[in-house]
């Protein structure tokens, strides 16, 4: 997946002139913090150098994961056309770009972010977008009131992993009344990220929410550790991205877990492909999560006719 051209250009402009050695050192710090899931009360993005490293090496991946999660919501709920959104822990506004691409009718977005440096970069990147109307706020979401009227779409992308467990629970509890329609949460696609998504999913179902995606049911997740529910998107790496990471490969696979919970039920749920399809000649095996709450492999062969065709065209994350 590539960034939308306008965002690519805005990111490239922000990065032009950044010293590669600085960027590489900051990118290494950032990766180390994310790998260790370090929560020491400090924002990961305290300086221009940190923000630029995020733009170079993380934004393309978080964009791809959030965009894919939104696409699954749009597919499950074709009637959903959010006019207003709230992006919590917005960083440089990654989800804003993904949301406006998925739902161009979005008219009004509130972005709340703890780091003033990140917020400033986000505002600069988005300066060229005419629509939607954007309001940026620097605020600590664990203590400050978010307030305002409920918004059609509420987004929490790659934020739960930066909060303490109690703060996560409280934040999800506070975000639900601010959700007029759908709350989308995305986390790194690690077993720990999946556990955070599972906890939020349970919490929201108990509050009366309907799971829109990826699960085709609201029963307990059928997967058991060491297995975990996650998806992947292949992300193109720019030259600077490769240099900052000291990598040769022109792409990387971003793994992510997500859940979208809505006040409205999706019209119909179909099975979701929850692993990379295994394709052979005349046959394909899909690992499916099914509407009856079960999960497992299913083999499709030419004899299955139209079903086989659909299965062959499906990908990891598709609904069947
Ligand atoms: C990994 S970044 C994700 C940024 C953006 N959502 C994205 O997907 O690219 C996590 C963001 O959450 C913000 N954050 C963490 N704790 C926060 C808090 N208590 N209040 C507000 N923002 C917070 C961080 O400053 C950072 O911008």
């Amino acid at each position: 997946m590539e960034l939308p051209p306008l965002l690519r250009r805005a990111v490239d402009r922000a990065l032009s002139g950044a010293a590669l050695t600085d960027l590489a050192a900051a990118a290494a710090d950032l990766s180390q913090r994310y790998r260790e899931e370090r929560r020491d009360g400090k924002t990961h993005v305290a300086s221009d150098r940190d923000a630029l490293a995020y733009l170079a090496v993380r934004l393309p991946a978080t964009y791809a994961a959030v965009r894919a999660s939104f696409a699954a919501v749009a597919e499950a709920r074709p009637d959903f056309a959010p006019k207003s959104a709230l992006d919590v822990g917005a960083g440089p506004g990654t989800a804003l770009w993904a949301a406006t691409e998925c739902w161009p009718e979005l008219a009004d977005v509130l972005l709340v972010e703890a780091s003033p440096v990140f917020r400033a970069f986000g505002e600069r990147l988005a300066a060229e977008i005419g629509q939607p109307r954007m309001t940026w706020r620097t605020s600590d979401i664990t203590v400050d009131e978010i307030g305002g009227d409920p918004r059609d779409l509420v987004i929490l992308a790659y934020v739960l992993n930066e909060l303490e467990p109690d703060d996560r629970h409280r934040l999800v509890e506070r975000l639900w009344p601010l959700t007029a329609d759908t709350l989308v949460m995305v986390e790194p696609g690690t077993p720990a990220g999946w556990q955070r998504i599972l906890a939020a999913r349970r919490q929201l179902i108990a509050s009366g929410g309907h799971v829109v995606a990826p699960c085709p049911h609201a029963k307990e997740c059928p997967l058991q550790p060491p297995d975990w529910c996650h998806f992947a998107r292949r992300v193109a790496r720019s030259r600077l991205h490769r240099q900052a990471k000291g990598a040769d490969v022109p792409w990387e696979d971003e793994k992510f877990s997500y859940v979208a919970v809505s006040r409205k039920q999706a019209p119909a749920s179909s099975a979701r492909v929850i692993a990379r399809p295994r394709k052979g000649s005349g046959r394909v095996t899909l690992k499916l999560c099914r509407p009856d709450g079960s999960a497992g492999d299913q083999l499709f062969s030419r004899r299955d006719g139209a079903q086989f065709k659909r299965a062959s065209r499906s990908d990891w994350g598709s609904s069947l």
Side-chain angles (χ1 to χ4, degrees):
M1 186 182 274
E2 300 273 359
L3 293 179
L6 202 58
L7 177 57
R8 177 78 270 160
R9 276 200 298 278
V11 167
D12 287 348
R13 237 191 334 267
L15 291 170
S16 66
L20 186 61
T21 41
D22 255 11
L23 219 51
D29 287 353
L30 208 59
S31 301
Q32 182 77 1
R33 286 190 73 103
Y34 289 138
R35 249 197 315 277
E36 290 172 2
E37 300 206 340
R38 210 184 305 154
R39 283 183 279 277
D40 49 14
K42 291 187 199 131
T43 172
H44 293 193
V45 177
S47 65
D48 281 10
R49 175 181 169 270
D50 297 337
L52 288 169
Y54 191 90
L55 298 193
V57 304
R58 286 302 300 150
L59 179 141
T62 63
Y63 175 87
V66 174
R67 183 68 185 83
S69 309
F70 288 166
V73 174
E75 190 191 15
R77 284 275 316 278
D79 62 312
F80 182 48
K83 297 278 185 297
S84 59
L86 164 67
D87 184 8
V88 178
T94 323
L96 161 78
W97 289 85
T100 51
E101 199 180 65
C102 191
W103 294 290
E105 58 280 11
L106 206 52
D108 188 71
V109 183
L110 172 62
L111 300 103
V112 182
E113 166 54 42
S115 157
V117 178
F118 232 169
R119 171 194 163 162
F121 271 94
E123 283 184 285
R124 222 174 300 154
L125 291 183
E128 280 184 30
I129 318 183
Q131 172 89 346
R133 192 168 72 89
M134 289 164 252
T135 310
W136 292 80
R137 194 187 297 161
T138 305
S139 149
D140 180 340
I141 45 173
T142 59
V143 290
D144 301 329
E145 209 37 63
I146 299 174
D149 289 335
R151 287 170 180 257
D152 299 335
L153 172 68
V154 176
I155 308 152
L156 193 62
Y158 289 84
V159 178
L160 288 172
N161 59 333
E162 298 202 3
L163 306 178
E164 296 297 340
D166 282 354
D167 287 336
R168 283 178 216 146
H169 186 89
R170 266 196 303 275
L171 180 62
V172 171
E173 195 171 69
R174 287 165 59 220
L175 289 183
W176 188 235
L178 295 175
T179 306
D181 194 302
T182 299
L183 171 56
V184 182
M185 287 170 287
V186 187
E187 281 290 289
T190 57
W194 173 60
Q195 287 298 338
R196 290 188 286 267
I197 290 289
L198 270 189
R201 178 185 184 273
R202 274 191 210 109
Q203 195 181 338
L204 290 169
I205 291 171
S207 304
H210 302 281
V211 182
V212 170
C215 336
H217 60 83
K219 301 187 167 77
E220 267 300 298
C221 177
L223 301 188
Q224 291 295 323
D227 197 3
W228 77 101
C229 182
H230 64 293
F231 303 91
R233 271 290 171 282
R234 184 148 290 186
V235 181
R237 281 175 170 156
S238 65
R239 192 165 55 86
L240 192 66
H241 185 163
R242 288 202 301 278
Q243 288 170 335
K245 275 202 160 168
D248 297 326
V249 189
W251 49 262
E252 65 189 11
D253 286 328
E254 173 68 6
K255 295 196 170 127
F256 62 100
S257 294
Y258 75 100
V259 70
V261 181
S262 176
R263 293 197 176 274
K264 298 192 188 116
Q265 195 129 32
S269 298
S270 34
R272 172 100 39 205
V273 181
I274 56 169
R276 208 180 291 289
R278 282 163 281 150
K279 295 182 181 172
S281 124
R283 49 200 279 149
V284 55
T285 304
L286 300 180
K287 183 175 176 187
L288 296 175
C289 185
R290 306 185 186 92
D292 65 3
S294 68
D297 281 351
Q298 194 164 330
L299 173 71
F300 297 85
S301 68
R302 285 199 203 286
R303 266 181 310 197
D304 296 311
Q307 261 200 322
F308 170 69
K309 278 198 185 138
R310 263 199 304 277
S312 306
R313 280 197 302 265
S314 69
D315 205 349
W316 188 359
S318 310
S319 65
L320 198 63

